[in-house]
Amino acid sequence: MNPHAGAVVPAGWGAYNGLWLVVMAGMGGSAVNLWLYTGAVTITMLFACCLVLSRWRHQLEASRYPVGLRGEASGIAAGGIAIVGLGFVFGAWFFPLGGAFVLWGTALVLVDNRSRHPRPS
Amino acid sequence: MTAITREPGDPGDSFEPRDVEPLPPGEIAAARFERDKGLLAWVTSTDHKRIGILTMATSLVFLCTFGILALIMRTQLAQPNGKVISPGAYNELFTLHGSGMIFLVLTPLAIGLCLYLVPLQIGAPMVAAPRLCLFSYWLYVAGAIVFLLSATTVTAPPDAGWYAYMPLSDGQYTPGVGMSLWILASMLAVGAMMLMAGAVLWTALRMRAPGMSLMRMSVFTWSAVVTCLMTVASFPSLIGAMGLQWVGRVDPNLFTHDSWDIAYQYLFWFYGHPVVYVMFFPFVGCVAEVLAAFTGRKYFGYSFTVYALLAFAAGSMAVFGHHTFTTGQTANDYFSVTSIMLSVPAGVEYFGFLGTLMGGRIRATVPMLFALAFIPQFLIGGLTGIMLATPVLDYHFHGSYFVVAHFHYTLFAGSLFGAFAGLYYWFPKATGIVLSEPLGRLNFVLMVIGTNVTFLPMFFYGFDGLPRRVATYPAGAGFGTLNLISTVGAFIIGLSVMVFVFNLARSAILRRPAGDDPWGAGQTLEWATSSPPPRFNFDGAHPIPPIKSHAPLLDLRQRSGASSG
Amino acid sequence: MPYRPTFDSEFALELIIAAVIFGIVVLLMVYALLQSRRRTEPSQRSEAKGLERTYVLVLIGLAGFILSTSLISNADVQPSRAADGPKPLVVQVNAFQWCWRFTYPTRHIVVTGTCIQGHDLPTLVVPTGRPVRIHLTSDDVVHEWWVPHLRYKEEAFPNWTNTFQFTLSSKGDWIGRCSEFCGLFHSFMDFHLEAVSPQQYRQWSSQHAGTTLT
């Protein structure tokens, strides 16, 4: 198995989209259309790059499974984001409240990451 | 994206079970994995299976909720000059029904199913970035809560339609807090699914079991991969569109220039078209898996189907302009070319469906019935899609009930039938208990009748000139009878969903256990493990079988059949 | 070519193709169900590369054919092609929440209404046999001008004018609608398109020159 095979998928898919992008430019797509489509192709290509980089970085520790624990951190952080969002509707005083939740969630994750939990066999 | 790449140390292709270090003594981790009972453990679990089930269950609750809104709308439209609800209330209902079904029901159902199944099907013990996935689920729930909050703002619930064109939805024409909350809800729900899809995509591309090469991934996993590619590439555009809309709510003066109005439409449809395929492809994958399982053969034309899925998904990024044919500001010919060319990969998919059926020994189980009905019903949606991709035809059909009929044939008669095929097929695997087959068949028959009775007449009154999103229509225009038929059909669908819910409840009470492979037909890795699968998907009692093709379990059965016979 | 005949021929073509494809798929499914009853073992074959390649080529050919008719028909209805012939009658159409305003610039006639509850609808009066050129815009949000009889619609944007042209050959009165959701009373935003003989039109326009009809 080719270790980089996975990255081929988004890269190839992005390149194929690039082809349609060129056709669009040739057939009179407006500037907004072209920017949007270019942006999407870029995101896909970045995803492919991340795949290659992670393969390169984590080759050696591939067998270790840090199982993300502290699931409550996710809920707390998500709630915090929503509260921050409500700040845009109801007023800026939501921002510190939501921000506190986000920080709390992040702190839980960081603490948990300090002790990496390998997968029990 | 950074949050995904930051998740260190995944197994990759070089993963070998012997590499796993034993748990250090005194480590709390093992104890925590055991702590899996109770509601709190469920909703804070970083197990991809639980997050997937939570996501799908939440979306099914909303399916019923927003389905009821549709029944109210159909009641209003049953008669000309309907007086059941006011035009304002009607506008709110279709806005909530449309945006709710897309943001909160079908997209999460699709991505949630991918999250549940992909790690199992590729033989991975877990999903990449499990905490990110759980974060996505809670972001989605937060979005849903804000959505419901917006619906209950008595003064001004959102009422600008699911695509909320500018300047109609700006601060001047739709004032009030409801619309603002709706924007926030859309952003949260859509952003959540974007992150979840990124994690699933990463898992499929990076964490496959030894032997599971790309071209041995199941058709469902491939459909999940292309779904997630589209999600990652197109959903940011909606965040942008909603940001633009937010600016328009704060300062409506932005939309006193045409270029912003039309830019909003492009931003929206750049998300709005691919999302339709996001809500569709995983269910095509379900249909393909179900067809293969209940014909007892390897999915036919696998490699062509895989390339067709990739090309289909790529093409979907380049067709958004066919929603704006009538704006007079779009390169119609380009978007007509790209849209009609989509019929090529779609045709290849149908080749796979029919090729699998034609050499098979067909077993008419409930999932198979839904999959079989999917084929002609979605075809109606697809073929009318070619018509809508033709500008001269779209100049008549755009914004009419013809379009409503078309996308309900793709999303309801297509996607939801595929989803039901998948739900019935994988329910025993995910829960360890079986559903009733007779009730399933009743559900199916009512669903087929209801769907076609509801949506087929819409083509005709759309053709005859009934615009979509009208709260009422005049008598004497000839729309009355057909609308009444649609309304009757909608209530048959309602009945069918009640049968489904009853079936679920009955099974939950009876708890008749399912074996590892209750169908005796599974071909992909998830059927090799227990029902429900253990925390890390495969264990000593249920090891990953050797993977030589996209149907490893079928290979095993055939080999043992050959050696015994 | 005007919109309706182009629409009719293109729709007939695509409807026939769609019906044939639908028929083939249903027949193959029925065949598959019948052969399944006779079969004791499923087929082991999982690829038919030659057949698949041929099939893809056929699909590309078919899609190419449909899209060529799509492009040709779309070129047929563009105003540049339809511009030859008599000088068109120009009408300025303004959509607003929630009704229409038709302005005849040469005669200074303005026709409008309130469209309240589907009553008091304005009428767009045009002569038969003469091209009508519509300059379409909106006073507030995005609307859409749709006359189902013509098989044509176009969106009305604020701060932007769309132009299109049609010719009516026979007299008649048809309903027109707004087909882009535009707010509270979208459902009632209808109008009439009335084609009268050139003499009647001349009479009508000189009678109402310089006035506002509501």
Side-chain angles (χ1 to χ4, degrees), chain B residues 300-439:
Chain B
F300 187 77
Y302 169 81
S303 56
F304 271 70
T305 301
V306 168
Y307 291 123
L309 283 171
L310 284 163
F312 208 153
S316 85
M317 304 293 295
V319 300
F320 57 99
H322 71 219
H323 295 268
T324 58
F325 276 163
T326 61
T327 58
Q329 305 174 56
T330 298
N332 287 5
D333 286 342
Y334 170 78
F335 289 109
S336 179
V337 168
T338 53
S339 308
I340 292 177
M341 285 313 281
L342 285 184
S343 56
V344 175
V348 175
E349 281 174 16
Y350 266 76
F351 187 88
F353 293 158
L354 294 171
T356 307
L357 273 181
M358 278 169 47
R361 247 186 74 71
I362 295 165
R363 286 170 55 197
T365 57
V366 173
M368 188 64 170
L369 291 175
F370 276 103
L372 287 173
F374 170 96
I375 296 174
Q377 288 186 159
F378 177 72
L379 190 60
I380 295 177
L383 292 169
T384 51
I386 297 178
M387 296 173 185
L388 294 174
T390 308
V392 289
L393 302 186
D394 190 67
Y395 297 154
H396 180 52
F397 293 140
H398 181 265
S400 77
Y401 258 93
F402 194 91
V403 175
V404 179
H406 157 74
F407 68 67
H408 280 96
Y409 259 95
T410 56
L411 288 179
F412 197 101
S415 291
L416 214 57
F417 270 69
F420 269 100
L423 285 174
Y424 272 101
Y425 183 49
W426 280 296
F427 184 86
K429 172 54 62 185
T431 58
I433 55 177
V434 292
L435 287 170
S436 152
E437 282 274 306
L439 280 174

Side-chain angles (χ1 to χ4, degrees), chain B residues 411-470:
Chain B
L411 288 179
F412 197 101
S415 291
L416 214 57
F417 270 69
F420 269 100
L423 285 174
Y424 272 101
Y425 183 49
W426 280 296
F427 184 86
K429 172 54 62 185
T431 58
I433 55 177
V434 292
L435 287 170
S436 152
E437 282 274 306
L439 280 174
R441 267 184 234 123
L442 180 63
N443 175 6
F444 168 76
V445 170
L446 288 173
M447 192 75 114
V448 169
I449 295 171
T451 302
N452 291 290
V453 170
T454 308
F455 300 120
L456 204 58
M458 289 183 180
F459 284 118
F460 295 96
Y461 51 81
F463 191 101
D464 288 344
L466 186 64
R468 67 194 278 199
R469 297 173 165 177
V470 287

Side-chain angles (χ1 to χ4, degrees), chain B residues 43-194:
Chain B
V43 298
T44 59
S45 168
T46 50
D47 181 355
H48 73 92
K49 297 183 287 299
R50 292 192 165 184
I51 306 170
I53 289 172
L54 281 174
T55 309
M56 286 188 278
T58 312
S59 74
L60 287 176
V61 170
F62 285 119
L63 176 74
C64 299
T65 315
F66 299 126
I68 291 169
L69 301 188
L71 293 183
I72 302 173
M73 285 193 282
R74 281 312 326 166
T75 312
Q76 159 78 359
L77 292 174
Q79 297 285 320
N81 299 314
K83 294 274 190 292
V84 179
I85 48 174
S86 69
Y90 185 88
N91 296 343
E92 288 149 20
L93 285 183
F94 75 68
T95 302
L96 298 175
H97 170 78
S99 54
M101 283 292 185
I102 287 161
F103 298 140
L104 304 182
V105 178
L106 276 168
T107 312
L109 186 62
I111 308 278
L113 185 65
C114 295
L115 177 63
Y116 181 86
L117 273 179
V118 165
L120 282 166
Q121 290 203 329
I122 61 170
M126 51 187 279
V127 69
R131 270 189 303 237
L132 183 77
C133 289
L134 187 63
F135 174 73
S136 304
Y137 170 71
W138 283 111
L139 214 51
Y140 157 54
V141 171
I145 291 170
V146 175
F147 190 94
L148 296 177
L149 213 61
S150 85
T152 48
T153 46
V154 185
T155 46
D159 57 355
W162 87 276
Y163 42 76
Y165 276 174
M166 304 306 289
L168 176 64
S169 55
D170 72 11
Q172 183 187 348
Y173 295 105
T174 310
V177 78
M179 193 71 212
S180 304
L181 286 173
W182 182 87
I183 292 172
L184 175 61
S186 318
M187 273 187 169
L188 290 172
V190 168
M193 288 307 127
M194 188 172 77

Side-chain angles (χ1 to χ4, degrees), chain C residues 13-78:
Chain C
L13 176 79
E14 293 197 12
L15 193 62
I16 290 167
I17 293 174
V20 170
I21 293 175
F22 188 78
I24 291 173
V25 169
V26 170
L27 281 178
L28 288 176
M29 283 183 73
V30 171
Y31 167 78
L33 293 174
L34 291 177
Q35 63 90 38
S36 159
R37 290 167 172 245
R38 292 195 306 270
R39 207 178 260 283
T40 48
E41 278 298 306
S43 160
Q44 299 290 326
R45 191 169 182 194
S46 66
E47 291 278 0
K49 289 251 161 88
L51 180 62
E52 283 168 62
R53 280 194 201 99
T54 321
Y55 174 71
V56 170
L57 288 179
V58 170
L59 276 180
I60 291 175
L62 183 65
F65 170 68
I66 298 175
L67 75 84
S68 69
T69 65
S70 162
L71 297 187
I72 291 167
S73 59
N74 194 32
D76 279 346
V77 299
Q78 294 310 311

Side-chain angles (χ1 to χ4, degrees), chain B residues 193-216:
Chain B
M193 288 307 127
M194 188 172 77
L195 297 175
M196 198 183 271
V200 174
L201 182 58
W202 191 269
T203 310
L205 296 179
R206 188 77 171 73
M207 294 174 67
R208 296 185 308 282
M212 180 60 80
S213 66
L214 285 173
M215 291 310 276
R216 287 177 189 166

